[in-house]
Every structure is written in C-alpha cells, then in structure tokens.
Amino acid sequence: MTAEARAPQGSEEHARPPGGAAGIEAEGPLTLFDAVGDALIDLGDMFRDGQVAPEDGRRAFDFYIDLAESGDPSAITVVLPPGAFGNTAAPVAVDGYNAAKAYQTALSVGQVEGLLRLGDLYREGEVVPLNLTAAFAYFSQAAAAGSQTGKLTTGEMLALGQGVSQDVEAGIAQVRGVASMGSASGLVLLGDLLSGRIEAAMDVEEAIAAYEKAASMGRMDALVRLGDLFRNGAAVDADHSRAFRYYREAMEGGSELGRLRVAELLVRGQGVKQDAAAGLALIEAAAEASNTDALNLLGDLFSEGVRGAVSVNLPKALHYFNLAAEAGSTTGKLRLGEMLARGEGAAPDPERGLTLIREISDTGSARAALLLGDLLTDAAVGPIDAVAAIRAYEQAAAQEDPVALLRLGDLLSDGRLVTAEVERAFGYYRRAMTAGSETGKLRVGEMLVRGQGVNKDYAAGLELVAEVAASGRSRAYLLLGDLLVDPDAPAPNGAAGVAAYERAAALGETSAWLRLGDLFRDGIAVPADGPRAAEYYRRAAVVRPEPAAEASEQSP
C-alpha cells in the first residue's frame, strides 16, 4: 500500500496513478482509438510495475498496433485488456523502455493520459533515468490539452524549480487557480505548498483553509495532513489533541493512514490517553496485511522506543524494515540499508547496507542520494569517501534538494574532508536559499558580511540574517549578535547586538548569556560593566532546558 499523505514517520512518499485513463476523461462510448489507447496505458503500467512477462507484453503491444492500423478509428469497440495476453503474479523485471513506448503509442492514437504517465515516469526516475526537464515538458503538454493534473503538476514543479526555472509566485498562482475551481486535488496541493514545502511562501492560515475545504469534499488525506501539521508543530504551535481529532476523523472516513496515525498517538499518549496495547494492536493488524506504512511504523517504534510503552529492540526494528523492503517499500529499504551500514540490530554490514541505498539512489531518488552522502562521510560507518559523497549530494542537489545543497556548501566551506572552495560553497548556499532554505539564507548572509566566496556586502548580508532572525530562529539571533558587535564590522552596534543576544537567550540559547557576559567584561562594542557581565554569567550557569528544536534542514 502507499500512503495518502506526507508524514514524519512510516509513510511512503509517492503514490503512482492507477491503471486506466484518469487525467482527461473521454465523453460518450469508446471509439477504436479510445479503446486501444486505454489498453496501451494499462500495458505501459504493467511494464512499469513489473507485472507482465516480456514475451506477453510484446504480443499485446503488437496486437494493439495492428488493431489500430487496420480498423476504423471511429468504430465503437471494446478490445482485449493486456492481462488477457498473459498476466503473471510471479515477479518480472520492470521495463521502463517499453512502458515509455506504450505510453508514447497511446499518445499517438489520441490518449492524452499518455502525457501524464510519461511525466510521472521521468519525474520519478524509478524505471527510466530521471529527467525533470522532460517530465515538465510532458506535464505542460497535458496542461495545454486541458488536464487539471497537468496544470497542477506544472504549477508544483514551477514553484519548486523542478525541470524549469523556479518561479514560486507563478507556480502557486497556477495551483491556486485550479483549486479555486473546486478541485480537491488542487486544494490539497495548495495546502502542501503553503504549509512548509517552500518556506519562503509559507501561509499556514491559507493552507489550513485549503485542507479543510478539501476534507469537506471527501479527501481524507487532507485530514491526515492537517493532523500532521498540528502534530509536528513546525509551521504552527503543536496541538496533539487537535491532531488526534483530525486523524480520528480521517480514520472514520476510511483512511488507513488515519488509522495508523491514531494508533501511533495511542502508543505515544499524544493528544489522547495513552493505550499502547490498543495502538500496537491496530498497527500490527495492518502490518499482517503487508501494509508497508504499518511495517515501517513498527520499525520506527522499536528503533526509537516509547517511554513506558515500547522498549528499544533494534533486531525487531530491523525485521520490520526488512519486511517493508520485501513488500516494495522504498522507505523500508532505505532504513534497512542504514541500519545494516551502522550495525544496528545486526552485525555491521556496510557493504550490503550501502548497496541497498545505492540501488535506490541510482533510480534518481534525492532522499537516497542524501542518505548515501551522509553515510559516506560518517567515520563510524567506514572509511570516509568524500569524493563519492559529493557525487551523491550533487545528485540530490540536481533536484534542488535544499539539504543536499547545504551539505555541499558545508563540505566545501569548512575544508575538513575536501579542499575548501568558498566560492563554490557560496553558490550552493545561494541555491539552497533560492530553494526556500532559511539556513541557506543565513549562510549566504554571513558570507556576504564577511566577504567569503563573494564580494563583501555588509548591509545586504546583515539584512538577510535579520530576516531569518525575525522569523523567531534563536540561532539566527545569535549570529546576528555576532555580526553586529564584530570589531571588523563597518560600524559595530553594541546596543543592537545586545538586543539580538538577549532575544536569542530568551529563545533558549544559553550561549547567548555567555556572549553577553564577554561583551560587558571586555568592553566589546559596549562600555565595560563588570557587575552586568557577572549577572549574565550567572544566568548562563543556571541549569536551563535545551533550546526548542528548530526546523532542521540538516537532516534528511
């Protein structure tokens, strides 16, 4: 099974379209070309998913071509489905070449759904080489032919800069236009784009309204997304009770993912009275039916543990991730590979673990490439291979993955594992900023202020750092304070620096108290004041909780 919503745990990230023409519906009875086109779409899906033996697929393909060439295109007809030529339950190799060929041929007889399938094929990069430019072109053609799916996908890719120059405003406007016409899918996508996928375009109120309208139209996945929003607390204040209510409503509407979220919150006691036994029973029932989300969730629970409910059991976690991988889960395969590489739940087997992750990375998965890069730079896994890690990160960065761009910037700026190249590092940070990364914006701002890898522009850099700080990020306030009181600044501003440090400290950055103490002890950008310095040091010495975790872009 595939998941209905993006989520932090136990969720598959992509659902493929089902067989049959769904993007642009035909009106009236099927003509010969309509019927042949539909059959070719289904045949392409079977090639794509490894559901047809090569010889059976070729026989079906030849039959449809002969039928289309010899018959009357306007005739009302029904044709044999591709399964009639030999549908096997036994595993066969996926065949991206013939999948694309079938979709192209369907397109040649007027089945515009072929454009959407081709777009998906090249955007996913699972059975053919990833090609976002080609994917965008196919989706654009579908949009021009009147497909709402084509319009939504091109809007999304435009906003994300996938296969086309990024234009966040134009992309979101296109998605908003489709959503305004009553498209539930458009409303869900609009909610996704505004709730954090593009940080610079975040509008949580509009995102919630879009999700709730989609939910009122029967989209249970919108309710799951609402639950995730209030559970995670990244874009809004966390509210587990409200999250649980959304999940429960989704479950009552028939959502399996909603049921799993309800079960997980029962196990964790979040937003509802803890009942680990009931929650685990729900998850295990789904896992017995080979639900990969459930298998991955069990793997997460046993790898992390839940205080008072689930003890850490790494061999058991490994077992569940292995089952998920065998059932076709990309998440399961990645987690299995990582645990094997790190020796979690079994004897370390970096070779096998990295091979599993490379297999997925080779399909064009940015997520897998990012994980591969992280493992290749982790001395605890094995010998560091910084060159191979950079190749992996660059693969993910080619899709403008902000975390991969940050990783590359960090590697090339600190010079620990490879020769420092600050100009190149600045370029990666700037791309991360363009992709919506606030951390990227901080890095760009600091490098502009210091003239590292770029011509020095103190004012422009300071403005970027201040913009990030204004969003409430404690570390941005800390950096802002550092830059304001730096003796090398054109005009050190002690008062503004103190205000920035105090704001960082109020947000939980204990080190800000130490910086303030140092300022007044040494008289840096402010008059020396021993008693005030001592007071700041005293505050730093008081045991304080760690700063609230900020949304991290440094982890996949």
Side-chain angles (χ1 to χ4, degrees):
M1 288 187 178
T2 52
E4 314 163 64
R6 295 176 294 109
Q9 294 178 318
S11 149
E12 292 302 296
E13 67 278 3
H14 183 78
R16 283 176 164 162
I24 304 174
E25 296 182 2
E27 296 181 1
L30 290 180
T31 65
L32 174 62
F33 276 10
D34 292 331
V36 169
D38 286 350
L40 285 165
I41 292 291
D42 289 338
L43 180 60
D45 292 347
M46 293 174 72
F47 279 125
R48 178 197 66 188
D49 297 334
Q51 295 177 341
V52 60
E55 59 277 11
D56 294 331
R58 283 193 294 270
R59 286 195 301 118
F61 189 83
D62 291 342
F63 172 80
Y64 296 134
I65 294 299
D66 290 344
L67 186 61
E69 290 178 349
S70 62
D72 177 358
S74 64
I76 306 303
T77 188
V78 174
V79 302
L80 289 172
F85 294 87
N87 192 1
T88 177
V92 296
V94 298
D95 188 340
Y97 171 79
N98 277 313
K101 184 178 177 183
Y103 297 146
Q104 287 277 15
T105 308
L107 182 60
S108 72
V109 295
Q111 177 50 277
V112 186
E113 179 70 16
L115 290 167
L116 298 176
R117 290 293 205 277
L118 285 162
D120 281 331
L121 208 62
Y122 287 103
R123 190 184 190 195
E124 294 170 9
E126 293 179 359
V127 296
V128 297
L130 182 78
N131 189 331
L132 293 177
T133 302
F136 183 81
Y138 283 124
F139 287 128
S140 295
Q141 291 177 61
S147 165
Q148 281 197 345
T149 299
K151 292 175 183 177
L152 289 176
T153 309
T154 51
E156 179 185 18
M157 294 180 76
L158 186 60
L160 296 173
Q162 295 179 337
V164 65
S165 296
Q166 186 176 35
D167 189 332
V168 174
E169 186 176 343
I172 290 178
Q174 184 165 314
V175 173
R176 187 182 282 119
V178 176
S180 68
M181 294 187 292
S183 165
S185 294
L187 289 163
V188 171
L189 178 55
L190 181 62
D192 291 348
L193 294 174
L194 297 177
S195 62
R197 283 185 73 186
I198 306 173
E199 195 163 359
M202 188 178 293
D203 186 334
V204 180
E205 288 187 6
E206 186 179 357
I208 291 172
Y211 284 145
E212 289 185 336
K213 186 172 181 180
S216 72
M217 298 167 69
R219 287 292 295 264
M220 296 301 102
D221 55 333
L223 290 168
V224 174
R225 282 164 160 80
L226 283 163
D228 291 344
L229 198 63
F230 284 96
R231 179 188 174 189
N232 297 340
V236 296
D237 291 336
D239 186 338
H240 290 153
S241 296
R242 185 169 179 180
F244 183 81
R245 290 195 297 272
Y246 281 126
Y247 291 146
R248 183 172 57 193
E249 187 177 346
M251 179 182 73
E252 291 169 351
S255 166
E256 281 300 307
L257 194 56
R259 183 183 303 276
L260 289 178
R261 294 288 196 277
V262 165
E264 184 180 359
L265 293 192
L266 282 169
V267 172
R268 297 185 184 279
Q270 295 177 330
V272 64
K273 184 178 179 180
Q274 189 173 41
D275 189 340
L280 285 172
L282 287 172
I283 302 167
E284 288 167 351
E288 288 174 3
S290 297
N291 182 311
T292 58
D293 289 323
L295 290 165
N296 286 323
L297 177 53
L298 287 169
D300 287 337
L301 291 172
F302 285 107
S303 64
E304 300 166 4
V306 178
R307 187 175 181 180
V310 180
S311 299
V312 172
N313 187 328
L314 294 181
K316 200 167 186 177
L318 189 72
H319 166 72
Y320 283 119
F321 287 134
N322 186 54
L323 290 177
E326 290 176 347
S329 165
T330 297
T331 297
K333 195 170 184 179
L334 288 178
R335 291 301 306 275
L336 175 65
E338 182 178 11
M339 290 187 75
L340 288 170
R342 297 188 185 283
E344 297 172 341
D349 191 347
E351 183 177 355
R352 184 185 170 207
L354 291 174
T355 297
L356 287 170
I357 295 166
R358 280 195 184 94
E359 288 175 359
I360 300 172
S361 176
D362 288 346
T363 68
S365 166
R367 181 181 173 200
L370 187 60
L371 176 58
L372 181 61
D374 289 346
L375 292 172
L376 290 170
T377 53
D378 187 345
V381 172
I384 289 175
D385 189 341
V387 174
I390 286 176
R391 284 200 301 269
Y393 288 142
E394 285 178 337
Q395 178 186 320
Q399 300 178 52
E400 299 306 309
D401 182 281
V403 179
L405 291 164
L406 291 173
R407 294 280 205 280
L408 286 163
D410 292 345
L411 274 174
L412 293 166
S413 63
D414 65 28
R416 289 185 303 107
L417 301 180
V418 295
T419 303
E421 298 182 54
V422 290
E423 290 185 7
R424 191 173 166 199
F426 180 81
Y428 283 123
Y429 288 141
R430 184 168 53 193
R431 284 172 61 190
M433 178 180 73
T434 302
S437 165
E438 294 287 88
T439 302
K441 185 184 284 190
L442 273 185
R443 300 276 202 277
V444 167
E446 183 177 9
M447 293 181 80
L448 279 168
V449 166
R450 303 191 189 284
Q452 296 172 330
V454 64
N455 291 333
K456 189 170 184 175
D457 190 334
Y458 182 85
L462 199 68
E463 182 179 356
L464 289 175
V465 175
E467 286 175 4
V468 180
S471 69
R473 289 179 177 254
S474 61
R475 288 163 198 158
Y477 275 112
L478 198 64
L479 175 59
L480 182 61
D482 291 344
L483 298 176
L484 287 165
V485 302
D486 189 335
D488 293 331
N493 189 331
V498 168
Y501 283 143
E502 288 185 336
R503 181 60 179 152
L507 290 169
E509 289 287 349
T510 304
S511 60
W513 296 122
L514 294 173
R515 281 172 164 78
L516 285 162
D518 293 345
L519 282 186
F520 286 96
R521 180 195 65 191
D522 300 330
I524 301 171
V526 295
D529 187 334
R532 190 169 180 181
E535 173 58 21
Y536 283 128
Y537 289 140
R538 185 192 67 76
R539 293 187 188 185
V542 174
V543 177
R544 295 177 178 274
E546 291 296 316
E550 295 182 350
S552 173
E553 300 167 290
Q554 295 295 307
S555 301

